[in-house]
Amino acid sequence: MKLQFLGGAGQVTGSQYYVEADGVRLLVDCGMHQERAHLDRNWAKSPLDLRNLDAVLLTHAHVDHCGLAPKLVSEGYRGPIYATSASVDLAAVVLRDAAEIQAEDAAFKMKRHRKEGRDVPPVKPLYTQSDVERTLRLLRPASYDRAVNINGHVQVRFHDAGHILGSAMIELRLNGNGEPRRIVFTGDLGQLDRPIVRNPAIVTEADYIVMESTYGDRHHENHGTIELQLEEVVVETVGRGGKIIVPIFAIERAQELIYYFSRLLEAKRIPETSIYLDSPMAADVNDIFGRHRECFDAEAQEMVAEHGSLLKFRSLHVLRTQRDSMRINDLKGPAVVMATSGMCTAGRIKHHLAHHIGDPANTILFVGYQAEGTLGRQILDGNQEVRIHGITRQVRAEVRQIQGISGHADHDGLMKWLGYVQRPPRRLFITHGEPQASLALAEDVRRQMNWNVTVPEYRDTVQID
C-alpha cells in the first residue's frame, strides 16, 4: 500500500492525499493552496495518472479541501467524486464561486496591468465555469456511516467530523498484505458543542490515521463567551460611529455569526444596526442549510421547530449583486459588513478592506483562522501597512479577533479525540498544520501515548502494510 502527501503537509491548506492499495487508486481531498508561498502549487500539473484514478473522496466542501477538483477534471479525471449529500450541495456553490472569483481577479489584474502600461501575457483563471459544471456531474452523494463500495474490495465510510455542515472523516477499509486494514482521514475535526452542527464522531479502531493539526500547538482561549466578545466589539464600534468589517468563510462561519447576531439582537444586548451579508455564496449556503437539517444538532433542531429558521432576522440584509456590494462603501454611520473570503485572499472583502482599513473609527474583526502569508494574517499580526489590489494602505482601523469561534478542535480537542482509539495505530500521520503546530502535536502524542508518529512533508511517499 502506498500513501502520498500531495498537499496539506507542512501547510494548513491544499489537502490532498493519494492512496494506492488493494487494486484501487484513490485521492482523498483535492484542496486549493491558499498560502502565498504555495500558490504556485495550484498551477502545477497533477503528478497522478488521472485517467486511471478510481475515485476522489471529499471530506468537506471548504475550498482548501475541494477547490482543485475542476482542475483535475480539466486534466483528464472522469471518475466519481464521493462526498456527503450536504457536501455535494455545498461543493456546487463553492466551486462555482471559486471559478467566478478567479475570472474576476484575472480581469482585475489585466485592467491594472493595462493601466500601469505593462506589456504582459493575458492572465488566465485556474479553471473555468465549464470545468466546474463537468466536475459537478461527477459528484456522488454518500450517507454518513454507510459503506460505499469502490471495487468490491475497498469500502469507504463517511463519519461526521463536526466541522461544518456535511463535513466528514473518511474511513477506508481494505486489505494490506492479505489482512484487513482501516485508514482514517480526519479531515478537519470540529470543536465540541459548536452551534448548529453535531459533535465529531468517535473512532475507536484504526490501523493508520491521517490527522489535521491546524491548532495542534494551541488552546482556544476562553475570553468570555463568544456572544459577550461579539457584543463588546459591536457596542464599542457603533459607539464611535464606525463600521465592523468581518472577513468570513461562507460556509459555517457566516451561519454561526448570523446565529449569534440574532440572539444578541433578540436579547437587546447590541443596538439595532444594519448587518450586511455581502456574499452570494453565503446566501446560497444559507439555503442549503435549510435543506439539510438532518445535519443539525438537537438545539438547532429545536430552534427551527420554534422559529422556523435559524438564519433570518429583521436587520439582516443579504446582498448578491456587485452594485449592492459597492453601495455599502458609500453608507454613512455604523454597520456590520460580513464578506468573503475568510483569509482576505480574494473576493469582496478586499474591496471593503481597501475602503475602511484606514479609518480608526472602524474595526476589522477576525473570526477564523488566518494562514501564514495571507492578507488576513498580515493584518492580524499587526502590520502597519498592507498591500490591497496592488496599493499600499495604512492600517488605522482597530483590529480584533473573536476567541473560541474556530471550527477546528484545538490541541486538547485533538488529543481527546485520539484518546478514544482503543489500541495504538500502526502509525499516525500529522498533517494540515503549520510546521510548528504539527511537530508540537506529534511530540505530545509520542510522549503521552507512546505512538508511532510521522509528520510528512510535501510530496512525501510512504509504504504502509
Side-chain angles (χ1 to χ4, degrees):
M1 295 192 298
K2 182 169 80 172
L3 175 61
Q4 187 175 16
F5 300 88
L6 298 176
Q11 62 185 110
V12 181
T13 68
S15 285
Q16 187 173 160
Y17 312 110
Y18 174 65
V19 181
E20 189 175 306
D22 214 5
V24 170
R25 298 173 179 86
L26 302 172
L27 195 62
V28 177
D29 282 342
C30 47
M32 191 177 290
H33 303 270
Q34 294 177 289
E35 297 97 336
R36 187 181 297 274
H38 304 313
L39 292 179
D40 59 320
R41 295 177 181 176
N42 291 325
W43 298 88
K45 189 177 186 299
S46 173
L48 304 176
D49 181 359
L50 295 175
R51 294 188 181 275
N52 288 320
L53 191 64
D54 293 289
V56 174
L57 314 172
L58 300 181
T59 60
H60 63 288
H62 273 153
V63 73
D64 63 325
H65 290 260
C66 73
L68 289 187
K71 181 171 178 288
L72 295 182
V73 172
S74 73
E75 293 178 356
Y77 180 67
R78 296 294 182 268
I81 302 173
Y82 293 101
T84 66
S85 180
S87 288
V88 165
D89 286 350
L90 290 172
V93 175
V94 169
L95 296 178
R96 285 171 177 150
D97 183 76
E100 182 177 353
I101 287 175
Q102 290 172 62
E104 290 176 355
D105 284 354
F108 189 88
K109 287 179 183 177
M110 284 304 301
K111 181 179 179 181
R112 192 175 79 227
H113 291 168
R114 286 193 297 268
K115 185 177 180 180
E116 295 171 351
R118 298 167 62 181
D119 184 17
V120 295
V123 179
K124 295 183 179 180
L126 186 61
Y127 50 78
T128 66
Q129 290 291 356
S130 177
D131 296 322
V132 170
E133 295 308 314
R134 286 190 292 152
T135 302
L136 300 184
R137 290 195 286 271
L138 303 178
L139 289 170
R140 303 288 184 269
S143 300
Y144 282 122
D145 305 318
R146 292 185 183 178
V148 175
N149 291 306
I150 301 299
N151 69 342
H153 300 288
V154 177
Q155 288 187 343
V156 179
R157 284 177 169 82
F158 293 80
H159 306 293
D160 201 330
H163 174 59
I164 65 171
L165 192 82
S167 62
M169 294 173 267
I170 290 177
E171 177 190 357
L172 302 181
R173 296 189 183 185
L174 40 77
N175 287 309
N177 294 332
E179 297 183 8
R181 293 284 183 261
R182 294 187 184 187
I183 306 176
V184 174
F185 297 82
T186 67
D188 288 351
L189 278 175
Q191 293 193 64
L192 297 176
D193 301 322
R194 301 302 306 149
I196 306 176
V197 297
R198 295 189 293 255
N199 286 338
I202 292 171
V203 171
T204 59
E205 293 184 48
D207 296 290
Y208 298 94
I209 300 173
V210 179
M211 173 181 247
E212 70 120 320
S213 57
T214 308
Y215 287 93
D217 62 343
R218 278 167 284 178
H219 305 273
H220 292 317
E221 299 178 57
N222 182 15
H223 293 172
T225 67
I226 292 169
E227 288 183 5
L228 179 58
Q229 296 175 67
L230 198 56
E231 176 187 0
E232 290 176 351
V233 172
V234 172
V235 170
E236 290 174 8
T237 308
V238 170
R240 59 178 182 256
K243 291 184 176 65
I244 303 160
I245 309 300
V246 191
I248 56 165
F249 298 94
I251 304 176
E252 207 68 41
R253 193 64 64 248
Q255 290 72 40
E256 284 189 32
L257 282 175
I258 292 170
Y259 170 88
Y260 288 128
F261 279 127
S262 175
R263 288 169 56 94
L264 289 170
L265 285 165
E266 186 176 5
K268 301 186 184 305
R269 292 172 56 184
I270 60 175
E272 280 286 343
T273 305
S274 291
I275 299 173
Y276 296 93
L277 179 64
D278 185 18
S279 169
M281 179 180 169
D284 290 339
V285 170
N286 286 0
D287 295 338
I288 292 172
F289 266 64
R291 298 201 300 268
H292 286 282
R293 296 174 184 177
E294 77 278 2
C295 297
F296 290 3
D297 63 14
E299 183 180 6
Q301 296 276 12
E302 291 175 4
M303 290 184 66
V304 169
E306 181 178 352
H307 300 289
S309 174
L310 289 175
L311 305 175
K312 293 180 181 178
F313 54 89
R314 185 177 61 187
S315 55
L316 177 65
H317 307 278
V318 179
L319 308 182
R320 289 185 177 272
T321 69
Q322 283 188 335
R323 177 176 294 181
D324 287 340
S325 177
M326 293 169 67
R327 285 174 177 165
I328 295 177
N329 296 320
D330 296 326
L331 293 176
K332 305 301 181 184
V336 176
V337 180
M338 299 182 288
T340 50
S341 69
M343 296 185 192
C344 310
T345 54
R348 295 183 179 183
I349 189 62
K350 296 184 77 171
H351 294 275
H352 294 304
L353 288 171
H355 280 84
H356 296 95
I357 201 167
D359 187 343
N362 299 329
T363 298
I364 311 302
L365 179 63
F366 290 100
V367 294
Y369 184 81
Q370 304 300 308
E372 188 173 0
T374 61
L375 174 60
R377 181 66 166 265
Q378 294 172 39
I379 297 170
L380 188 59
D381 281 349
N383 289 19
Q384 298 300 304
E385 295 180 344
V386 294
R387 285 182 66 80
I388 305 174
H389 296 149
I391 299 174
T392 299
R393 304 179 191 268
Q394 300 295 316
V395 181
R396 296 190 178 95
E398 183 179 6
V399 178
R400 299 278 292 271
Q401 183 178 33
I402 297 291
Q403 303 290 343
I405 201 172
S406 172
H408 291 265
D410 65 0
H411 170 276
D412 290 352
L414 295 171
M415 293 293 290
K416 183 175 182 178
W417 186 87
L418 289 173
Y420 289 111
V421 180
Q422 294 180 352
R423 59 179 176 81
R426 291 169 175 263
R427 200 182 313 183
L428 169 67
F429 298 96
I430 302 292
T431 62
H432 200 279
E434 292 176 6
Q436 68 272 19
S438 299
L439 292 169
L441 181 63
E443 181 58 31
D444 281 353
V445 173
R446 292 190 192 101
R447 180 168 46 83
Q448 296 182 33
M449 307 177 77
N450 198 31
W451 285 10
N452 183 5
V453 185
T454 297
V455 180
E457 296 184 1
Y458 178 59
R459 291 212 170 187
D460 275 0
T461 300
V462 296
Q463 299 292 330
I464 56 179
D465 58 17

